[in-house]
Amino acid sequence: MRVNKPFDVPMEICSSRWIANETREIILAPLDGASGVMRRAGGISPLPGQFAHISVPGVFLRRPVSIAGYGDGLLRLLVRRAGRGTDILCSLPAGSGLSALFPLGNPFPQDKIAGIARSGGRIWTVSGGIGLAPLLFLAARAAESGIRVDSFAGFTDEKNAFGTDELKSCGQCAVSIGGFVTDLVEKELEKSKPDMIASCGPAPMLAALQRICREHALAAYASFEERMGCGIGACLVCNCAFEADGGFAYRRVCADGPVFSLMEAKLP
Ligand SMILES: Cc1cc2nc3c(=O)[nH]c(=O)nc-3n(C[C@H](O)[C@H](O)[C@H](O)COP(=O)(O)OP(=O)(O)OC[C@H]3O[C@@H](n4cnc5c(N)ncnc54)[C@H](O)[C@@H]3O)c2cc1C
Ligand code: FES
């Protein structure tokens, strides 16, 4: 399912600031000529869970980064310094140019979210570290459509925490510092259940969450982070095994995901 057409947009960094120890918020705006092209082609309307493939100066392959917010043509990214590419991205000052191919991939399930809005249901987000980035976009959009979004956010330590005030504007937010965020989820499940869980984070966290969701028969979706080449389904660099028909099948995280049902994932 390709939900909207991607564009390779020449953009400029409007602002870039540290929001946590190793994490930067980078806001990109289309360069003058690019906004006209985007408008004529029907505009760009990314959905939560989709990502941008960012060209980083001096680095051969683009780097995939989740869309953490989008409005008035401004693209919000939250970037954690992990290696050469993200280090360069975090060091670029306002005014620097780069190109962003977006929106790519499939978002969190829109029909299900619309149904939850209609029935007055609840969504929980569960994140580990920078995995919070796509969930901030999801929480904001879901809250706009009247859904209460409660969140469980895990960070390794205080210095790496970010985004919790934004989450609190959409519902309750429980924060785990240096522990297992899934312990908080299990505790809350003794009192209430959501209609859907949206998650993103390291594989061990997703594995623990998968076990919990199986035990409680909960609908859960996760955005998966995998090394990528092309980002558009052509090179198979991002191929991963998922459960299918009693066996397993390879799926391309960039084009078939990055959002999948958490129940289909083969996790450690
Ligand atoms: C769909 C998607 C969404 C993502 N969203 C974000 C985001 O919002 N913010 C953010 O900071 N990062 C995000 N990532 C991860 C980000 O793409 C990687 O951290 C980045 O590509 C690493 O590049 P580098 O040159 O800095 O590091 P490299 O030098 O290439 O690698 C440094 C370390 O990062 C690991 N790594 C490399 N690529 C990935 C990858 N794709 N996923 C996970 N680990 C990787 C390597 O194994 C290595 O340990 C996302 C990845 C995907 C696939
Ligand atoms: S990155 Fe090339 S197929 Fe996914």
PDB file of all heavy atoms in Angstrom, residues 154-186:
ATOM      1  N   GLY A 154      10.654   5.147  27.224  1.00  0.00           N
ATOM      2  CA  GLY A 154      11.842   4.695  27.940  1.00  0.00           C
ATOM      3  C   GLY A 154      13.096   5.394  27.412  1.00  0.00           C
ATOM      4  O   GLY A 154      13.243   5.607  26.209  1.00  0.00           O
ATOM      5  N   PHE A 155      13.974   5.767  28.330  1.00  0.00           N
ATOM      6  CA  PHE A 155      15.260   6.380  27.954  1.00  0.00           C
ATOM      7  C   PHE A 155      16.351   5.758  28.817  1.00  0.00           C
ATOM      8  O   PHE A 155      16.095   5.343  29.956  1.00  0.00           O
ATOM      9  CB  PHE A 155      15.240   7.898  28.195  1.00  0.00           C
ATOM     10  CG  PHE A 155      14.147   8.606  27.458  1.00  0.00           C
ATOM     11  CD1 PHE A 155      12.964   8.952  28.092  1.00  0.00           C
ATOM     12  CD2 PHE A 155      14.290   8.917  26.109  1.00  0.00           C
ATOM     13  CE1 PHE A 155      11.945   9.594  27.423  1.00  0.00           C
ATOM     14  CE2 PHE A 155      13.269   9.563  25.421  1.00  0.00           C
ATOM     15  CZ  PHE A 155      12.094   9.900  26.076  1.00  0.00           C
ATOM     16  N   THR A 156      17.585   5.744  28.301  1.00  0.00           N
ATOM     17  CA  THR A 156      18.682   5.145  29.071  1.00  0.00           C
ATOM     18  C   THR A 156      18.992   5.970  30.325  1.00  0.00           C
ATOM     19  O   THR A 156      19.307   5.428  31.367  1.00  0.00           O
ATOM     20  CB  THR A 156      19.960   5.051  28.217  1.00  0.00           C
ATOM     21  OG1 THR A 156      20.168   6.319  27.599  1.00  0.00           O
ATOM     22  CG2 THR A 156      19.858   3.946  27.174  1.00  0.00           C
ATOM     23  N   ASP A 157      18.946   7.311  30.184  1.00  0.00           N
ATOM     24  CA  ASP A 157      19.157   8.175  31.351  1.00  0.00           C
ATOM     25  C   ASP A 157      18.485   9.531  31.130  1.00  0.00           C
ATOM     26  O   ASP A 157      18.000   9.816  30.023  1.00  0.00           O
ATOM     27  CB  ASP A 157      20.653   8.341  31.660  1.00  0.00           C
ATOM     28  CG  ASP A 157      21.415   8.838  30.442  1.00  0.00           C
ATOM     29  OD1 ASP A 157      20.985   9.832  29.854  1.00  0.00           O
ATOM     30  OD2 ASP A 157      22.417   8.209  30.057  1.00  0.00           O
ATOM     31  N   GLU A 158      18.453  10.345  32.179  1.00  0.00           N
ATOM     32  CA  GLU A 158      17.773  11.653  32.136  1.00  0.00           C
ATOM     33  C   GLU A 158      18.274  12.518  30.993  1.00  0.00           C
ATOM     34  O   GLU A 158      17.510  13.213  30.336  1.00  0.00           O
ATOM     35  CB  GLU A 158      18.006  12.415  33.448  1.00  0.00           C
ATOM     36  CG  GLU A 158      17.283  11.868  34.659  1.00  0.00           C
ATOM     37  CD  GLU A 158      15.831  12.318  34.714  1.00  0.00           C
ATOM     38  OE1 GLU A 158      15.404  13.068  33.832  1.00  0.00           O
ATOM     39  OE2 GLU A 158      15.129  11.872  35.641  1.00  0.00           O
ATOM     40  N   LYS A 159      19.605  12.481  30.774  1.00  0.00           N
ATOM     41  CA  LYS A 159      20.204  13.396  29.784  1.00  0.00           C
ATOM     42  C   LYS A 159      19.712  13.087  28.360  1.00  0.00           C
ATOM     43  O   LYS A 159      19.774  13.929  27.483  1.00  0.00           O
ATOM     44  CB  LYS A 159      21.733  13.265  29.809  1.00  0.00           C
ATOM     45  CG  LYS A 159      22.372  13.887  31.051  1.00  0.00           C
ATOM     46  CD  LYS A 159      23.878  13.837  30.942  1.00  0.00           C
ATOM     47  CE  LYS A 159      24.329  12.435  30.810  1.00  0.00           C
ATOM     48  NZ  LYS A 159      25.527  11.904  31.156  1.00  0.00           N
ATOM     49  N   ASN A 160      19.270  11.844  28.137  1.00  0.00           N
ATOM     50  CA  ASN A 160      18.822  11.457  26.795  1.00  0.00           C
ATOM     51  C   ASN A 160      17.311  11.559  26.619  1.00  0.00           C
ATOM     52  O   ASN A 160      16.800  11.202  25.561  1.00  0.00           O
ATOM     53  CB  ASN A 160      19.289  10.029  26.486  1.00  0.00           C
ATOM     54  CG  ASN A 160      20.758  10.008  26.120  1.00  0.00           C
ATOM     55  OD1 ASN A 160      21.163  10.632  25.142  1.00  0.00           O
ATOM     56  ND2 ASN A 160      21.569   9.353  26.926  1.00  0.00           N
ATOM     57  N   ALA A 161      16.614  12.031  27.656  1.00  0.00           N
ATOM     58  CA  ALA A 161      15.145  12.093  27.568  1.00  0.00           C
ATOM     59  C   ALA A 161      14.691  13.338  26.798  1.00  0.00           C
ATOM     60  O   ALA A 161      15.326  14.393  26.873  1.00  0.00           O
ATOM     61  CB  ALA A 161      14.561  12.099  28.974  1.00  0.00           C
ATOM     62  N   PHE A 162      13.624  13.213  26.055  1.00  0.00           N
ATOM     63  CA  PHE A 162      13.055  14.343  25.323  1.00  0.00           C
ATOM     64  C   PHE A 162      11.580  14.026  25.005  1.00  0.00           C
ATOM     65  O   PHE A 162      11.157  12.870  25.126  1.00  0.00           O
ATOM     66  CB  PHE A 162      13.824  14.603  24.007  1.00  0.00           C
ATOM     67  CG  PHE A 162      13.745  13.444  23.040  1.00  0.00           C
ATOM     68  CD1 PHE A 162      12.751  13.379  22.075  1.00  0.00           C
ATOM     69  CD2 PHE A 162      14.651  12.406  23.120  1.00  0.00           C
ATOM     70  CE1 PHE A 162      12.664  12.303  21.206  1.00  0.00           C
ATOM     71  CE2 PHE A 162      14.568  11.314  22.264  1.00  0.00           C
ATOM     72  CZ  PHE A 162      13.581  11.267  21.303  1.00  0.00           C
ATOM     73  N   GLY A 163      10.828  15.042  24.611  1.00  0.00           N
ATOM     74  CA  GLY A 163       9.496  14.839  24.035  1.00  0.00           C
ATOM     75  C   GLY A 163       8.380  14.529  25.021  1.00  0.00           C
ATOM     76  O   GLY A 163       7.215  14.432  24.620  1.00  0.00           O
ATOM     77  N   THR A 164       8.686  14.410  26.312  1.00  0.00           N
ATOM     78  CA  THR A 164       7.644  13.947  27.235  1.00  0.00           C
ATOM     79  C   THR A 164       6.559  15.020  27.467  1.00  0.00           C
ATOM     80  O   THR A 164       5.404  14.679  27.671  1.00  0.00           O
ATOM     81  CB  THR A 164       8.260  13.479  28.566  1.00  0.00           C
ATOM     82  OG1 THR A 164       9.111  14.500  29.052  1.00  0.00           O
ATOM     83  CG2 THR A 164       9.078  12.218  28.388  1.00  0.00           C
ATOM     84  N   ASP A 165       6.939  16.300  27.410  1.00  0.00           N
ATOM     85  CA  ASP A 165       5.909  17.336  27.586  1.00  0.00           C
ATOM     86  C   ASP A 165       4.903  17.292  26.429  1.00  0.00           C
ATOM     87  O   ASP A 165       3.696  17.468  26.639  1.00  0.00           O
ATOM     88  CB  ASP A 165       6.545  18.734  27.664  1.00  0.00           C
ATOM     89  CG  ASP A 165       7.236  18.940  29.008  1.00  0.00           C
ATOM     90  OD1 ASP A 165       6.955  18.147  29.941  1.00  0.00           O
ATOM     91  OD2 ASP A 165       8.073  19.849  29.113  1.00  0.00           O
ATOM     92  N   GLU A 166       5.425  17.039  25.223  1.00  0.00           N
ATOM     93  CA  GLU A 166       4.513  16.928  24.068  1.00  0.00           C
ATOM     94  C   GLU A 166       3.549  15.770  24.267  1.00  0.00           C
ATOM     95  O   GLU A 166       2.358  15.878  23.974  1.00  0.00           O
ATOM     96  CB  GLU A 166       5.327  16.645  22.801  1.00  0.00           C
ATOM     97  CG  GLU A 166       5.926  17.877  22.178  1.00  0.00           C
ATOM     98  CD  GLU A 166       6.721  17.506  20.948  1.00  0.00           C
ATOM     99  OE1 GLU A 166       6.137  17.069  19.952  1.00  0.00           O
ATOM    100  OE2 GLU A 166       7.962  17.637  21.003  1.00  0.00           O
ATOM    101  N   LEU A 167       4.074  14.643  24.767  1.00  0.00           N
ATOM    102  CA  LEU A 167       3.213  13.469  24.981  1.00  0.00           C
ATOM    103  C   LEU A 167       2.145  13.772  26.027  1.00  0.00           C
ATOM    104  O   LEU A 167       1.005  13.328  25.900  1.00  0.00           O
ATOM    105  CB  LEU A 167       4.052  12.268  25.421  1.00  0.00           C
ATOM    106  CG  LEU A 167       5.016  11.714  24.366  1.00  0.00           C
ATOM    107  CD1 LEU A 167       5.905  10.626  24.983  1.00  0.00           C
ATOM    108  CD2 LEU A 167       4.260  11.148  23.161  1.00  0.00           C
ATOM    109  N   LYS A 168       2.536  14.551  27.046  1.00  0.00           N
ATOM    110  CA  LYS A 168       1.575  14.853  28.125  1.00  0.00           C
ATOM    111  C   LYS A 168       0.421  15.715  27.616  1.00  0.00           C
ATOM    112  O   LYS A 168      -0.646  15.746  28.228  1.00  0.00           O
ATOM    113  CB  LYS A 168       2.291  15.566  29.274  1.00  0.00           C
ATOM    114  CG  LYS A 168       3.061  14.572  30.153  1.00  0.00           C
ATOM    115  CD  LYS A 168       3.839  15.277  31.246  1.00  0.00           C
ATOM    116  CE  LYS A 168       4.802  14.306  31.913  1.00  0.00           C
ATOM    117  NZ  LYS A 168       5.910  14.973  32.591  1.00  0.00           N
ATOM    118  N   SER A 169       0.620  16.424  26.492  1.00  0.00           N
ATOM    119  CA  SER A 169      -0.491  17.225  25.971  1.00  0.00           C
ATOM    120  C   SER A 169      -1.510  16.349  25.231  1.00  0.00           C
ATOM    121  O   SER A 169      -2.577  16.819  24.832  1.00  0.00           O
ATOM    122  CB  SER A 169       0.031  18.337  25.053  1.00  0.00           C
ATOM    123  OG  SER A 169       0.592  17.755  23.907  1.00  0.00           O
ATOM    124  N   CYS A 170      -1.185  15.057  25.031  1.00  0.00           N
ATOM    125  CA  CYS A 170      -2.110  14.149  24.315  1.00  0.00           C
ATOM    126  C   CYS A 170      -2.757  13.142  25.257  1.00  0.00           C
ATOM    127  O   CYS A 170      -3.647  12.399  24.861  1.00  0.00           O
ATOM    128  CB  CYS A 170      -1.355  13.372  23.236  1.00  0.00           C
ATOM    129  SG  CYS A 170      -0.451  14.424  22.094  1.00  0.00           S
ATOM    130  N   GLY A 171      -2.275  13.051  26.504  1.00  0.00           N
ATOM    131  CA  GLY A 171      -2.793  12.063  27.460  1.00  0.00           C
ATOM    132  C   GLY A 171      -1.770  11.888  28.575  1.00  0.00           C
ATOM    133  O   GLY A 171      -0.912  12.740  28.781  1.00  0.00           O
ATOM    134  N   GLN A 172      -1.857  10.747  29.272  1.00  0.00           N
ATOM    135  CA  GLN A 172      -0.870  10.512  30.335  1.00  0.00           C
ATOM    136  C   GLN A 172       0.438  10.026  29.720  1.00  0.00           C
ATOM    137  O   GLN A 172       0.438   9.388  28.672  1.00  0.00           O
ATOM    138  CB  GLN A 172      -1.388   9.448  31.294  1.00  0.00           C
ATOM    139  CG  GLN A 172      -2.454  10.011  32.215  1.00  0.00           C
ATOM    140  CD  GLN A 172      -2.977   8.972  33.177  1.00  0.00           C
ATOM    141  OE1 GLN A 172      -2.588   7.810  33.144  1.00  0.00           O
ATOM    142  NE2 GLN A 172      -3.886   9.397  34.027  1.00  0.00           N
ATOM    143  N   CYS A 173       1.540  10.305  30.433  1.00  0.00           N
ATOM    144  CA  CYS A 173       2.836   9.835  29.925  1.00  0.00           C
ATOM    145  C   CYS A 173       3.644   9.278  31.095  1.00  0.00           C
ATOM    146  O   CYS A 173       3.953   9.998  32.045  1.00  0.00           O
ATOM    147  CB  CYS A 173       3.570  10.992  29.247  1.00  0.00           C
ATOM    148  SG  CYS A 173       5.246  10.572  28.798  1.00  0.00           S
ATOM    149  N   ALA A 174       3.963   7.979  31.011  1.00  0.00           N
ATOM    150  CA  ALA A 174       4.801   7.348  32.036  1.00  0.00           C
ATOM    151  C   ALA A 174       6.203   7.211  31.463  1.00  0.00           C
ATOM    152  O   ALA A 174       6.373   6.780  30.313  1.00  0.00           O
ATOM    153  CB  ALA A 174       4.236   5.975  32.386  1.00  0.00           C
ATOM    154  N   VAL A 175       7.197   7.612  32.243  1.00  0.00           N
ATOM    155  CA  VAL A 175       8.577   7.616  31.742  1.00  0.00           C
ATOM    156  C   VAL A 175       9.415   6.618  32.528  1.00  0.00           C
ATOM    157  O   VAL A 175       9.349   6.570  33.760  1.00  0.00           O
ATOM    158  CB  VAL A 175       9.178   9.039  31.865  1.00  0.00           C
ATOM    159  CG1 VAL A 175      10.619   9.067  31.365  1.00  0.00           C
ATOM    160  CG2 VAL A 175       8.339  10.029  31.085  1.00  0.00           C
ATOM    161  N   SER A 176      10.203   5.838  31.800  1.00  0.00           N
ATOM    162  CA  SER A 176      11.124   4.899  32.441  1.00  0.00           C
ATOM    163  C   SER A 176      12.555   5.360  32.146  1.00  0.00           C
ATOM    164  O   SER A 176      12.925   5.528  30.983  1.00  0.00           O
ATOM    165  CB  SER A 176      10.890   3.499  31.865  1.00  0.00           C
ATOM    166  OG  SER A 176      11.976   2.669  32.159  1.00  0.00           O
ATOM    167  N   ILE A 177      13.317   5.607  33.196  1.00  0.00           N
ATOM    168  CA  ILE A 177      14.711   6.022  33.000  1.00  0.00           C
ATOM    169  C   ILE A 177      15.613   4.867  33.448  1.00  0.00           C
ATOM    170  O   ILE A 177      15.626   4.497  34.620  1.00  0.00           O
ATOM    171  CB  ILE A 177      15.040   7.288  33.824  1.00  0.00           C
ATOM    172  CG1 ILE A 177      14.129   8.468  33.436  1.00  0.00           C
ATOM    173  CG2 ILE A 177      16.517   7.663  33.695  1.00  0.00           C
ATOM    174  CD1 ILE A 177      14.383   9.102  32.096  1.00  0.00           C
ATOM    175  N   GLY A 178      16.315   4.295  32.483  1.00  0.00           N
ATOM    176  CA  GLY A 178      17.275   3.227  32.788  1.00  0.00           C
ATOM    177  C   GLY A 178      16.646   1.885  33.137  1.00  0.00           C
ATOM    178  O   GLY A 178      17.357   0.964  33.514  1.00  0.00           O
ATOM    179  N   GLY A 179      15.327   1.769  32.987  1.00  0.00           N
ATOM    180  CA  GLY A 179      14.677   0.484  33.298  1.00  0.00           C
ATOM    181  C   GLY A 179      14.032  -0.101  32.056  1.00  0.00           C
ATOM    182  O   GLY A 179      14.409   0.242  30.928  1.00  0.00           O
ATOM    183  N   PHE A 180      13.061  -0.975  32.264  1.00  0.00           N
ATOM    184  CA  PHE A 180      12.320  -1.572  31.141  1.00  0.00           C
ATOM    185  C   PHE A 180      10.976  -0.869  31.017  1.00  0.00           C
ATOM    186  O   PHE A 180      10.121  -1.007  31.900  1.00  0.00           O
ATOM    187  CB  PHE A 180      12.113  -3.071  31.369  1.00  0.00           C
ATOM    188  CG  PHE A 180      13.393  -3.863  31.377  1.00  0.00           C
ATOM    189  CD1 PHE A 180      13.785  -4.547  32.506  1.00  0.00           C
ATOM    190  CD2 PHE A 180      14.207  -3.912  30.249  1.00  0.00           C
ATOM    191  CE1 PHE A 180      14.971  -5.271  32.519  1.00  0.00           C
ATOM    192  CE2 PHE A 180      15.387  -4.630  30.250  1.00  0.00           C
ATOM    193  CZ  PHE A 180      15.782  -5.312  31.392  1.00  0.00           C
ATOM    194  N   VAL A 181      10.790  -0.146  29.910  1.00  0.00           N
ATOM    195  CA  VAL A 181       9.536   0.597  29.727  1.00  0.00           C
ATOM    196  C   VAL A 181       8.352  -0.374  29.681  1.00  0.00           C
ATOM    197  O   VAL A 181       7.232  -0.029  30.084  1.00  0.00           O
ATOM    198  CB  VAL A 181       9.628   1.495  28.463  1.00  0.00           C
ATOM    199  CG1 VAL A 181       9.665   0.668  27.179  1.00  0.00           C
ATOM    200  CG2 VAL A 181       8.488   2.475  28.416  1.00  0.00           C
ATOM    201  N   THR A 182       8.600  -1.610  29.243  1.00  0.00           N
ATOM    202  CA  THR A 182       7.519  -2.592  29.135  1.00  0.00           C
ATOM    203  C   THR A 182       6.989  -2.995  30.519  1.00  0.00           C
ATOM    204  O   THR A 182       5.862  -3.462  30.633  1.00  0.00           O
ATOM    205  CB  THR A 182       7.992  -3.820  28.347  1.00  0.00           C
ATOM    206  OG1 THR A 182       9.292  -4.186  28.826  1.00  0.00           O
ATOM    207  CG2 THR A 182       8.058  -3.542  26.861  1.00  0.00           C
ATOM    208  N   ASP A 183       7.804  -2.808  31.580  1.00  0.00           N
ATOM    209  CA  ASP A 183       7.290  -3.078  32.931  1.00  0.00           C
ATOM    210  C   ASP A 183       6.129  -2.128  33.251  1.00  0.00           C
ATOM    211  O   ASP A 183       5.145  -2.518  33.878  1.00  0.00           O
ATOM    212  CB  ASP A 183       8.397  -2.877  33.993  1.00  0.00           C
ATOM    213  CG  ASP A 183       9.455  -3.971  33.913  1.00  0.00           C
ATOM    214  OD1 ASP A 183       9.210  -4.971  33.204  1.00  0.00           O
ATOM    215  OD2 ASP A 183      10.515  -3.821  34.556  1.00  0.00           O
ATOM    216  N   LEU A 184       6.269  -0.865  32.803  1.00  0.00           N
ATOM    217  CA  LEU A 184       5.203   0.123  33.039  1.00  0.00           C
ATOM    218  C   LEU A 184       3.933  -0.263  32.276  1.00  0.00           C
ATOM    219  O   LEU A 184       2.817  -0.091  32.765  1.00  0.00           O
ATOM    220  CB  LEU A 184       5.655   1.524  32.598  1.00  0.00           C
ATOM    221  CG  LEU A 184       6.916   2.090  33.269  1.00  0.00           C
ATOM    222  CD1 LEU A 184       7.239   3.469  32.708  1.00  0.00           C
ATOM    223  CD2 LEU A 184       6.704   2.176  34.778  1.00  0.00           C
ATOM    224  N   VAL A 185       4.139  -0.790  31.060  1.00  0.00           N
ATOM    225  CA  VAL A 185       2.993  -1.210  30.241  1.00  0.00           C
ATOM    226  C   VAL A 185       2.255  -2.348  30.947  1.00  0.00           C
ATOM    227  O   VAL A 185       1.024  -2.329  31.075  1.00  0.00           O
ATOM    228  CB  VAL A 185       3.473  -1.664  28.834  1.00  0.00           C
ATOM    229  CG1 VAL A 185       2.317  -2.218  28.010  1.00  0.00           C
ATOM    230  CG2 VAL A 185       4.148  -0.516  28.099  1.00  0.00           C
ATOM    231  N   GLU A 186       3.013  -3.329  31.429  1.00  0.00           N
ATOM    232  CA  GLU A 186       2.390  -4.490  32.106  1.00  0.00           C
ATOM    233  C   GLU A 186       1.593  -4.051  33.333  1.00  0.00           C
ATOM    234  O   GLU A 186       0.506  -4.551  33.592  1.00  0.00           O
ATOM    235  CB  GLU A 186       3.469  -5.499  32.518  1.00  0.00           C
ATOM    236  CG  GLU A 186       3.804  -6.427  31.365  1.00  0.00           C
ATOM    237  CD  GLU A 186       4.605  -7.639  31.793  1.00  0.00           C
ATOM    238  OE1 GLU A 186       5.728  -7.441  32.310  1.00  0.00           O
ATOM    239  OE2 GLU A 186       4.134  -8.766  31.586  1.00  0.00           O
TER     240      GLU A 186
END
